[in-house]
Amino acid sequence: MAAEPQPKALTRKPLLLNKVEGSQEVVNMAAIVPKEDGVISVSEDRTVRVWLKRDSGQYWPSIYHAMPSPCSCMSFNPETRRLSIGLDNGTISEFILSEDYNKMTLVKSYQAHQSRVIMILFVLEMEWVLSTGHDKHFTWHCSESGQRLGGYRTSAGACGLQFDVETRHVFVGDHSGQVTILKLEQESCSLVTTFKGHTGGVTALCWDPIQRVLFSGSSDHSIIMWDIGGRKGTAIELQGHNDKVQSLSYAHHTRQLISCGADGGIVVWNMDVERQETPEWLDSDSCQKCDQPFFWNFKQMWDSKKIGLRQHHCRKCGKAVCGKCSSKRSSIPLMGFEFEVRVCDSCHESITDEERAPTATFHDSKHNIVHVHFDATRGWLLTSGTDKVIKLWDMTPVVS
């Protein structure tokens, strides 16, 4: 379903704390340094930079390190200060940052993929480095030895990657719109299942290990919440972006999902409400309200001497309806539709003002966001964009 114009931003807005500028190309990924006024970034200009806040209030690089290939992604573990960097040439390089964040020391490098590394996850509990690449492979390595432990070929290039420590399940989202769940052992993996709900490629995944819910963002502008732990097959759709969803983050303590997209939108979704699944669209040769034939129903058109009409669908009940019987529009926030969508006239009458109450807040970041990182301890959000700028936001007015 294509997104329609989103609602105006509500009064509760993130506060812009600072901008970090200086990269020569797109900042593909960045992270807030815990317990420090600092940011780690990797860029298409081949640089790894650690930015620390100076007395002037501005961020300046304490580390400026050039890699042999554009830096596509990173994973930083604060406990060990281990920084894993994925490169455009398929290599993953691991560094240890000094305690004062003024020095980075190379530990090892290994050829994980045949082409650009897309995502990296470092799992301290297993000493594993998980990664996906443009070569349509998911791989995992031992971070102690650098040895490749195994791999799995996906149906398309993979962008989303998440891991559940308790069950050792890995979630891989790819450009075909499919999500693959694998069970990892020390040196083998097995396919658990695959599922698909997006009409576009999966661009981001986010896992909530407490509620056992997986969120997937897509180039089709939508987000789907998959209830993995509920075992009921529930999939809730969220529509709030006008362009592809680029990155997701989840605030566990408040049960709020933060989504960012190529439209520059930062959307904070309240997931602590009873949401409803969107209905399946029903098939019919005529309007299920007035019985007027649709334009391909030649027999009924001939028998009734009526002109065929274009088919539409009510977003609330899923019935096939004509334009005359679905002349109204309404938001349905509990179904994920924060903007107004087509509904049949009878459903429009049944929707109350309380049911139209927003369950998300919207803000314009004023840059095309490619990645986000949320620091729940301080309520800070980092966004990096195609404009080569990193922005730091205070989210406490919204995420609370």
Side-chain angles (χ1 to χ4, degrees):
M1 300 177 190
E4 298 183 21
Q6 66 185 36
K8 294 181 180 178
L10 301 182
T11 54
R12 296 180 298 162
K13 294 181 179 180
L15 303 175
L16 182 61
L17 297 173
N18 222 315
K19 291 183 182 180
V20 182
E21 301 176 272
S23 298
Q24 302 304 307
E25 295 290 345
V26 175
V27 179
N28 286 316
M29 201 168 284
I32 299 168
V33 179
K35 302 177 183 178
E36 297 280 346
D37 270 335
V39 171
I40 304 169
S41 68
V42 296
S43 171
E44 202 68 27
D45 64 10
R46 300 190 300 115
T47 64
V48 182
R49 308 187 198 206
V50 179
W51 311 79
L52 296 180
K53 192 174 183 180
R54 307 304 183 184
D55 292 338
S56 63
Q58 298 301 309
Y59 288 84
W60 293 96
S62 62
I63 294 175
Y64 178 102
H65 184 88
M67 299 296 290
S69 181
C71 306
S72 53
C73 57
M74 57 169 271
S75 176
F76 178 63
N77 180 261
E79 296 178 51
T80 60
R81 298 189 308 282
R82 184 182 312 215
L83 179 63
S84 305
I85 301 168
L87 302 181
D88 189 64
N89 63 12
T91 301
I92 295 177
S93 295
E94 290 187 352
F95 297 84
I96 298 294
L97 300 186
S98 61
E99 290 187 26
D100 60 4
Y101 293 96
N102 283 310
K103 183 181 179 182
M104 54 190 288
T105 303
L106 179 64
V107 178
K108 66 176 69 69
S109 291
Y110 38 91
Q111 192 70 32
H113 296 275
Q114 298 302 310
S115 56
R116 187 179 179 91
V117 183
I118 302 301
M119 287 291 292
I120 299 175
L121 285 179
F122 171 64
V123 183
L124 179 60
E125 292 85 350
M126 282 83 180
E127 289 288 347
W128 287 348
V129 175
L130 316 179
S131 63
T132 59
H134 267 170
D135 59 2
K136 301 182 182 179
H137 275 85
F138 159 75
T139 66
W140 75 104
H141 291 74
C142 174
S143 61
E144 294 180 315
S145 65
Q147 178 184 354
R148 187 180 189 272
L149 299 176
Y152 183 88
R153 183 175 174 82
T154 56
S155 59
C159 282
L161 178 64
Q162 291 286 283
F163 182 72
D164 182 60
V165 174
E166 182 182 346
T167 62
R168 297 190 181 185
H169 285 156
V170 64
F171 306 92
V172 182
D174 64 44
H175 288 306
S176 74
Q178 181 172 285
V179 177
T180 301
I181 303 181
L182 305 170
K183 170 81 170 183
L184 297 192
E185 303 297 344
Q186 186 59 34
E187 295 184 3
S188 66
C189 74
S190 56
L191 175 65
V192 177
T193 188
T194 60
F195 49 90
K196 185 173 181 179
H198 292 287
T199 57
V202 175
T203 50
L205 292 179
C206 184
W207 172 244
D208 174 12
I210 300 171
Q211 301 294 326
R212 308 200 65 74
V213 166
L214 181 72
F215 299 96
S216 60
S218 171
S219 59
D220 65 10
H221 310 178
S222 74
I223 300 162
I224 297 178
M225 182 188 84
W226 307 88
D227 185 5
I228 305 293
R231 300 182 182 276
K232 295 179 181 178
T234 306
I236 305 296
E237 202 168 322
L238 304 174
Q239 298 276 356
H241 289 278
N242 293 319
D243 206 333
K244 62 181 176 180
V245 179
Q246 298 273 50
S247 190
L248 301 169
S249 186
Y250 189 69
H252 301 276
H253 63 299
T254 58
R255 293 193 66 184
Q256 287 172 295
L257 176 71
I258 302 170
S259 63
C260 297
D263 57 1
I266 300 174
V267 185
V268 181
W269 304 86
N270 178 13
M271 302 310 299
D272 198 22
V273 295
E274 193 69 32
R275 293 188 176 273
Q276 304 167 19
E277 281 192 282
T278 52
E280 293 288 335
W281 283 5
L282 301 178
D283 292 326
S284 179
D285 290 329
S286 58
C287 176
Q288 292 181 297
K289 293 293 182 180
C290 69
D291 202 37
Q292 189 88 344
F294 293 132
F295 65 82
W296 61 83
N297 188 353
F298 300 115
K299 184 179 186 305
Q300 187 177 346
M301 287 166 56
W302 178 265
D303 292 343
S304 62
K305 301 297 187 291
K306 293 180 180 179
I307 298 174
L309 302 176
R310 182 183 174 191
Q311 182 193 58
H312 300 282
H313 283 92
C314 172
R315 300 313 195 260
K316 183 165 171 55
C317 68
K319 288 183 178 179
V321 290
C322 66
K324 185 178 179 180
C325 294
S326 58
S327 60
K328 304 288 177 41
R329 302 290 183 273
S330 176
S331 60
I332 322 173
L334 294 181
M335 282 187 169
F337 297 113
E338 292 287 336
F339 44 77
E340 293 189 342
V341 290
R342 180 186 296 273
V343 293
C344 65
D345 292 354
S346 56
C347 280
H348 186 271
E349 292 177 7
S350 71
I351 301 172
T352 65
D353 290 341
E354 289 78 10
E355 289 176 317
R356 291 189 178 93
T359 63
T361 57
F362 296 80
H363 181 66
D364 184 7
S365 70
K366 293 183 169 50
H367 69 160
N368 179 332
I369 298 172
V370 295
H371 182 72
V372 299
H373 177 242
F374 181 63
D375 180 355
T377 60
R378 287 177 282 191
W380 289 4
L381 182 75
L382 178 151
T383 60
S384 55
T386 56
D387 55 3
K388 312 169 191 176
V389 175
I390 300 168
K391 294 184 179 182
L392 280 166
W393 307 86
D394 180 3
M395 298 294 290
T396 51
V398 184
V399 183
S400 58

